[in-house]
Amino acid sequence: MKDILLILVLQLLYVPIYTLRTIFLVKNITALAAILGVAEMLIYVFGLSIVFSGEQSLVQMVVYAVGFGIGIILGTMLETKLAIGYINVTVNTQQKNTELITLLRNNGFGVTVYTGEGRDSDRFRMEVLTKRNRENELIATVEHYEPKAFIISYEPRRFKGGFLLNRMK
């Protein structure tokens, strides 16, 4: 029973570290990814050695696999809480809402506004680059002032210069 609990705990450590390491690699945070990789491999080898030592119990193997699945959920929840990186939010509206634009800028968001031709009238597009941990705040603010806005959020891979980077100096 002690081995089964240890296998579960190891998986609940291993898989979230694996998840974070992968995300750090994608975001080009390689030094931290390498450190997590060392911890990940130590836990992985130790866990497998328990599973494959002596008689291979079906229960141990099932707990190992279930721990992996639960670990994925935990790793994803952890990464969501950490909200590492940046997002770009595009907001399309039917009118130029200067009150919203001013509010966003006063709250530290860099906003660039474009005018475009829609099918029936002009449309207004706001581009906002912000840290991921402010995404929900940004979208809630936009939805409060522009409930019919079309909002797209995505993660940029690379960017250089601009309002947000100048504020971090």
Side-chain angles (χ1 to χ4, degrees):
M1 182 64 174
K2 182 180 84 172
D3 282 352
I4 290 173
L5 284 174
L6 184 58
I7 290 167
L8 182 62
V9 168
L10 288 173
Q11 284 297 84
L12 296 180
L13 288 172
Y14 162 71
V15 181
I17 290 173
Y18 170 77
T19 303
L20 289 175
R21 179 189 55 84
T22 303
I23 290 165
F24 287 146
L25 280 174
V26 169
K27 294 182 184 293
N28 205 25
I29 306 172
T30 52
L32 191 51
I35 292 166
L36 289 176
V38 170
E40 174 191 340
M41 281 302 103
L42 288 171
I43 295 168
Y44 177 75
V45 169
F46 187 66
L48 275 182
S49 71
I50 293 170
V51 172
F52 291 122
S53 66
E55 60 181 78
Q56 282 78 36
S57 159
L58 180 62
V59 173
Q60 287 180 332
M61 289 183 212
V62 169
V63 167
Y64 188 85
V66 169
F68 190 89
I70 296 169
I72 290 173
I73 293 168
L74 288 176
T76 303
M77 290 170 54
L78 180 60
E79 196 282 329
T80 301
K81 289 280 184 204
L82 292 173
I84 302 158
Y86 296 87
I87 55 143
N88 191 68
V89 177
T90 302
V91 179
N92 290 296
T93 60
Q94 293 181 345
Q95 67 253 352
K96 185 175 182 178
N97 188 329
T98 53
E99 182 182 6
L100 173 60
I101 294 165
T102 301
L103 177 69
L104 291 174
R105 287 177 175 157
N106 288 341
N107 286 333
F109 295 103
V111 181
T112 303
V113 181
Y114 302 92
T115 304
E117 292 181 27
R119 185 183 70 185
D120 300 323
S121 65
D122 285 345
R123 298 287 190 241
F124 299 90
R125 184 178 79 200
M126 290 177 265
E127 294 284 338
V128 185
L129 178 70
T130 189
K131 291 185 175 185
R132 272 191 56 223
N133 62 3
R134 297 194 70 195
E135 179 178 19
N136 291 337
E137 171 193 356
L138 172 61
I139 291 174
T141 302
V142 169
E143 287 177 336
H144 177 75
Y145 285 86
E146 287 289 339
K148 293 184 179 181
F150 178 70
I151 304 170
I152 303 171
S153 173
Y154 58 93
E155 288 190 58
R157 267 195 35 80
R158 249 175 98 165
F159 54 89
K160 177 183 172 225
F163 172 79
L164 186 63
L165 293 180
N166 289 335
R167 288 193 57 192
M168 293 176 16
K169 290 180 181 178

